Amino acid sequence: MKPRFPGYDVLQQAGSWDLVTAGVVLARLAPPPPLRFFTVDEERVARPLLDRLLAQDGPPEDESRIPVLEHIDARLAEGETDGWHHDDLPEDGEAWRRSLAALDEDARAVEGQHFWELKRRAQNRLLENVRTAKTWHELPASRVWNLWMRYACTGFYSHPSAWNEMGFGGPAYPRGYKALGLDRREPWEVREVDAEDPEPWARRVEAARQRQDSDHAAR
């Protein structure tokens, strides 16, 4: 994919971060540790689930892939949740285990294969069923979807590689900002190339969603 901010690397700003913050951010670039929370079968379901949710569709050996599963696994192993959960959903760790098992159960019932064995299109169909359902395997579907997306987006957007993709400057303390105002940039910021109006893209997404709904209804 063509970079939106060519040559931009947020790590060049690490010298302006305080030592504690720099240590936290740079630790996210270390090789991922072995999984401690998810079982082998749960990992098999969770890894493609997260890839579909975040459109990380490159090959596993792609160095630009952000290790979101490992981030979630570490949080759950350490009990570092958001400090709350919906009262109609189990606590986060149990909700993850139950929802991954249910997703694989759906895959075997509908497609005759495990979730991780399916093509992306079939995986997306199953996920769309969850997203649009009211109740799913005796769980509130919207809560499950929220759980997945909340953890996935937190893991993805806490990584410096994601910051580079969107031109984010990273921690602002103690450096701060001085170029305040619309379309103004700090000396270290890079102008976005080929910036596009988001509305046409949003219309394409909505059209794709409607086609998906039609395909699902016709099955």
Side-chain angles (χ1 to χ4, degrees), residues 35 38-49 69 100 104 114-117 123:
L35 299 184
F38 291 121
T39 66
V40 172
D41 281 347
E42 288 167 348
E43 176 193 0
R44 287 173 171 169
V45 180
R47 202 172 288 283
L49 162 65
L69 176 65
L100 293 175
D104 195 43
H114 288 290
F115 185 75
W116 62 85
E117 296 173 322
Q123 291 175 341

Side-chain angles (χ1 to χ4, degrees), residues 80-177:
E80 294 179 354
T81 68
D82 293 331
W84 57 272
H85 71 92
H86 294 287
D87 59 3
D88 52 359
L89 200 68
E91 292 190 3
D92 289 1
E94 177 61 18
W96 269 101
R97 293 197 191 285
R98 284 183 57 181
S99 60
L100 293 175
L103 186 58
D104 195 43
E105 182 180 332
D106 281 3
R108 287 182 279 114
V110 176
E111 305 287 349
Q113 291 180 296
H114 288 290
F115 185 75
W116 62 85
E117 296 173 322
L118 300 178
K119 301 291 187 184
R120 290 175 188 170
R121 187 179 179 85
Q123 291 175 341
N124 285 335
R125 282 199 300 268
L126 293 175
L127 295 180
E128 184 65 5
N129 290 343
V130 180
R131 191 187 70 82
T132 57
K134 291 185 178 179
T135 302
W136 180 66
H137 289 268
E138 301 181 353
L139 296 171
S142 64
R143 306 293 199 208
V144 173
W145 190 261
N146 176 278
L147 174 84
W148 289 346
M149 293 302 298
R150 200 170 74 240
Y151 273 79
C153 290
T154 299
F156 187 84
Y157 287 109
S158 66
H159 198 279
S161 294
W163 299 352
N164 286 341
E165 194 275 336
M166 60 183 177
F168 177 54
Y173 178 82
R175 178 198 59 212
Y177 285 85

Side-chain angles (χ1 to χ4, degrees), residues 1-51:
M1 178 182 295
K2 184 178 180 181
R4 293 168 55 196
F5 300 89
Y8 177 68
D9 184 0
V10 71
L11 296 183
Q12 294 178 357
Q13 297 303 307
S16 67
W17 304 338
D18 66 81
L19 292 178
V20 173
T21 300
V24 170
V25 174
L26 296 178
R28 297 170 187 169
L29 299 170
L35 299 184
R36 292 178 291 157
F37 180 82
F38 291 121
T39 66
V40 172
D41 281 347
E42 288 167 348
E43 176 193 0
R44 287 173 171 169
V45 180
R47 202 172 288 283
L49 162 65
L50 294 168
D51 284 348

